[in-house]
Amino acid sequence: MQSVSEFRLAVTEVLLYSAIISIAVFWCRYKWNNRHIDKLGSKMKGPPAYPIIGSALELLGTPEQVINALLGFYKNYGSEPFKVWLGPFFGVYIIKPEDVQIVLNNSKALQKDRFYEFIKNIFGEGLLTAPVDKWRKHRRLITPSFNANLLSQFFPVFNEKNKILIRNLKKELGKTQPFDLWDYIAPTTLNLICQNAMGYNLDSHSQCGSEFEKAMTKASELDSIRIYKPWLFPNIFFSLYLRLQGQSNVFKTLKKLPLKMINEKKRSFCTKETIVMNNTDEEKKNLKVFLDTLFELNETGANFSDNDILDEVVTMTIGGSETSAITLCFSLLLLAIHSDIQNKVYDEIYDVLGEGDQTITTEDTTKLVYLEQVLKETLRLFPVLPIVIRELQDDVKIISGNHLLPKGTTCYIAPLFTHRDCDSYPNPLNFNPENFSQENISKRHKYSFIAFSGGPRRCIGSKYAMLSMKVMMSTFLRNYSVHTNCKFNDIKLKLDLLLRSANGYPVFIQTRDRRPSYKLN
């Protein structure tokens, strides 16, 4: 018996020592293979990092605490590149415009980082998350759907849906309690993209839209939590976390509306019917939407699979609704805080559109210069996508610090930080639309404003977004003035996949006196 016990002890010791030696060998090999990264990291400032989890402890907490931690990084380390470890992955924050331009335009920096794998349960492999080869093919095929001539066809829908918004807002007139702009703006932007891109009218399917919005918000929260918690990186642990949270079906729920739109369009496409608004105009009956284009491309050999189509529809639906809704809500809240700027915006709208209720045209939007400055200044202060992540496929040299970023480095391009660089924007925390006057734009680096990203993988829908937001803002402000009890410093941020207001967008509205402020004075 003693011999057996000694044998078992000997075997246990051998296994234990073997395990220790294996771990030591693995660790030494890992450190040797990454010695160039360690050498770079030793030259950079950054938050403290620990074995296995990296700097994750700095980013624990609620979505509000996460964004505050990130802003704390910027406060501590400034605009020079600084390092951060998320789990075992080394990353560098790139902030200065000249460095941002180098990275975003480098052919070896087009690959989205491994962290985008965590949001593929939402977007699949649409344009946002697709690997480079797939992205190149799809981008080339899809880009013609967003040319200027086709964008002009959306104005009848813009005007119709915004009239509905104005009618719905009437119920808030005269109330003593503020309401949240999100409750009205988000359904409208979702309806717009569904009608304009998918040929699907959500007016008669409002429950589908509401279900989609709630699922999107929850899915964003869940996926963002995963990015900052290395113990949720393995799919098996994340699936267990979803079950424990009672959210196993949230991603399935998110796909219901996109699948419904695809199936309905597929039926009409096969029978050569077109789903349109209730309109007898013959030209509008023949409008071709984004989803039509995908099916037509398949007929000519593009070979989009059913999953490819679903992924692009989900990406387009979220990208064309959620991002615009957030920016519009922030813009209106900022105008409510800054009544003098709101008056200046309204004066421009009045000069362009007059007192009547005529619908806005493409030509009108080009004249709303100051309104565009307001929207861009909103995006500067509150970029909807505050961080873009790229994985280097080869070494890339940046200007700041003359650093050579080695292959495999995660690059965090942070519009939230770049837009707050004092060298580009004096008093960067002030809301000042004059930052985007032509004179001031000409003084700055092109990549000092990257709300729509930049380089080959910049946002494909930026022109659509600006047009739709101009139409909604001008329609809203022609009919109502907007007010709030909030101060600028009361705006608290939170970060899931997108940057949002933690406390909503509380405002009051009053019926607009259809005279410009300069005539009232």
Side-chain angles (χ1 to χ4, degrees):
M1 289 296 294
Q2 185 176 352
S3 298
V4 171
S5 297
E6 290 174 350
F7 176 75
R8 288 177 176 171
L9 181 60
V11 170
T12 302
E13 288 176 344
V14 169
L15 292 175
L16 177 60
Y17 292 147
S18 297
I20 292 172
I21 292 170
S22 297
I23 292 171
V25 170
F26 174 81
W27 179 251
C28 290
R29 183 179 178 185
Y30 174 80
K31 296 300 286 184
W32 175 256
N33 290 338
N34 290 278
R35 62 192 183 281
H36 51 301
I37 289 178
D38 289 337
K39 184 177 179 180
L40 173 63
S42 67
K43 299 177 183 177
M44 289 184 171
K45 297 178 180 179
Y50 306 96
I52 301 176
I53 63 172
S55 303
L57 290 179
E58 302 288 319
L59 297 167
L60 288 181
T62 64
E64 298 96 297
Q65 291 169 328
V66 169
I67 192 63
N68 288 334
L70 291 173
L71 289 170
F73 290 170
Y74 181 60
K75 182 179 179 181
N76 291 334
Y77 308 118
S79 298
E80 293 300 318
F82 63 88
K83 66 182 177 183
V84 63
W85 289 87
L86 279 182
F89 306 120
F90 176 76
V92 176
Y93 273 84
I94 308 294
I95 298 167
K96 288 197 171 292
E98 54 270 25
D99 296 329
V100 170
Q101 182 177 26
I102 289 170
V103 174
L104 289 182
N105 285 282
N106 196 297
S107 61
K108 302 301 182 182
L110 294 177
Q111 180 64 44
K112 295 298 182 77
D113 186 75
R114 59 182 64 83
F115 291 116
Y116 282 81
E117 294 292 324
F118 298 158
I119 63 174
K120 284 187 178 180
N121 46 26
I122 296 178
F123 298 98
E125 289 192 345
L127 288 179
L128 176 66
T129 53
V132 174
D133 290 343
K134 187 173 187 178
W135 163 78
R136 279 200 178 100
K137 175 188 174 185
H138 287 197
R139 176 88 180 210
R140 176 175 53 81
L141 293 169
I142 291 171
T143 294
S145 300
F146 291 88
N147 69 58
N149 293 331
L150 288 176
L151 289 176
S152 63
Q153 76 179 20
F154 299 144
F155 274 75
V157 178
F158 287 158
N159 286 309
E160 180 188 348
K161 302 305 179 188
N162 282 301
K163 286 179 182 177
I164 295 172
L165 170 65
I166 297 306
R167 288 201 301 269
N168 290 340
L169 283 166
K170 284 184 179 179
K171 66 182 74 167
E172 300 295 343
L173 287 170
K175 290 189 177 180
T176 57
Q177 294 296 318
F179 68 94
D180 192 341
L181 280 165
W182 183 261
D183 296 336
Y184 293 89
I185 301 296
T188 304
T189 56
L190 179 59
N191 204 338
L192 281 170
I193 196 66
C194 288
Q195 184 84 56
N196 281 328
M198 317 302 167
Y200 189 84
N201 193 339
L202 265 181
D203 286 337
S204 55
H205 302 85
S206 58
Q207 185 175 351
C208 292
S210 176
E211 185 179 54
F212 178 85
E213 289 170 21
K214 291 176 181 177
M216 175 58 205
T217 301
K218 179 54 66 175
S220 295
E221 291 175 1
L222 291 168
D223 276 348
S224 64
I225 287 170
R226 189 181 187 189
I227 291 172
Y228 300 115
K229 294 184 176 180
W231 49 92
L232 294 179
F233 285 2
N235 289 333
I236 188 171
F237 293 152
F238 185 60
S239 297
L240 178 60
Y241 177 80
L242 291 179
R243 286 198 293 272
L244 292 174
Q245 294 293 317
Q247 299 294 340
S248 298
N249 293 323
V250 67
F251 298 104
K252 183 178 179 181
T253 302
L254 181 66
K255 303 294 175 65
K256 284 184 180 178
L257 175 61
L259 284 169
K260 189 177 180 69
M261 293 190 292
I262 291 169
N263 291 333
E264 188 162 323
K265 175 59 69 174
K266 186 181 291 186
R267 285 194 297 270
S268 66
F269 188 82
C270 291
T271 57
K272 304 302 180 184
E273 297 174 0
T274 306
I275 301 173
V276 294
M277 300 178 298
N278 294 328
N279 198 309
T280 58
D281 189 284
E282 201 59 34
E283 181 181 355
K284 291 176 183 175
K285 287 186 179 181
N286 294 318
L287 293 180
K288 182 167 63 176
V289 299
F290 170 73
L291 200 45
D292 288 320
T293 301
L294 292 184
F295 287 128
E296 288 181 4
L297 287 169
N298 257 4
E299 283 196 337
T300 58
N303 295 321
F304 285 107
S305 68
D306 288 345
N307 283 336
D308 288 339
I309 291 175
L310 175 61
D311 294 345
E312 298 299 354
V313 167
V314 171
T315 300
M316 195 63 62
T317 303
I318 295 172
S321 62
E322 199 84 357
T323 55
S324 294
I326 292 171
T327 302
L328 286 161
C329 287
F330 270 126
S331 290
L332 288 167
L333 182 59
L334 288 168
L335 291 182
I337 294 170
H338 300 275
S339 57
D340 54 331
I341 296 176
Q342 182 179 172
N343 288 337
K344 189 172 179 179
V345 173
Y346 177 70
D347 290 349
E348 179 183 68
I349 294 169
Y350 182 90
D351 289 342
V352 172
L353 300 174
E355 293 184 0
D357 290 319
Q358 70 271 25
T359 55
I360 189 170
T361 65
T362 310
E363 292 72 25
D364 293 330
T365 61
T366 63
K367 300 173 185 176
L368 296 173
V369 176
Y370 191 69
L371 175 57
E372 182 170 324
Q373 290 177 212
V374 167
L375 289 167
K376 287 183 175 179
E377 177 68 354
T378 302
L379 283 165
R380 182 188 71 80
L381 284 167
F382 307 116
V384 180
L385 197 63
I387 299 175
V388 175
I389 312 176
R390 299 286 176 85
E391 180 183 334
L392 299 186
Q393 304 302 297
D394 204 345
D395 298 351
V396 173
K397 191 171 186 177
I398 58 175
I399 296 172
S400 297
N402 201 30
H403 292 304
L404 182 67
L405 305 181
K407 177 181 177 180
T409 299
T410 296
C411 288
Y412 298 96
I413 311 296
L416 185 64
F417 301 161
T418 300
H419 293 177
R420 298 182 179 213
D421 186 356
C422 294
D423 292 338
S424 298
Y425 301 98
N427 303 312
L429 296 183
N430 290 346
F431 177 61
N432 179 20
E434 290 302 324
N435 280 323
F436 290 92
S437 67
Q438 284 302 314
E439 179 184 359
N440 285 327
I441 289 174
S442 65
K443 297 176 183 177
R444 291 195 303 268
H445 193 284
K446 179 181 178 181
Y447 278 71
S448 62
F449 179 70
I450 48 171
F452 296 105
S453 189
R457 293 199 79 159
R458 79 186 303 273
C459 176
I460 195 174
S462 57
K463 290 182 179 178
Y464 172 88
M466 289 304 296
L467 279 177
S468 66
M469 290 192 294
K470 277 187 175 183
V471 175
M472 189 178 294
M473 286 283 285
S474 59
T475 305
F476 189 110
L477 294 170
R478 285 177 82 189
N479 289 274
Y480 302 115
S481 59
V482 58
H483 312 270
T484 187
N485 294 327
C486 287
K487 306 298 181 185
F488 185 86
N489 290 335
D490 295 331
I491 299 176
K492 306 301 179 186
L493 302 176
K494 66 178 182 179
L495 177 64
D496 42 51
L497 297 183
L498 304 174
L499 187 69
R500 307 173 190 267
S501 169
N503 300 317
Y505 312 86
V507 299
F508 306 88
I509 57 171
Q510 296 176 6
T511 302
R512 172 73 68 179
D513 185 338
R514 290 290 187 91
R515 289 174 293 170
S517 61
Y518 58 77
K519 285 192 176 182
L520 294 175
N521 294 333

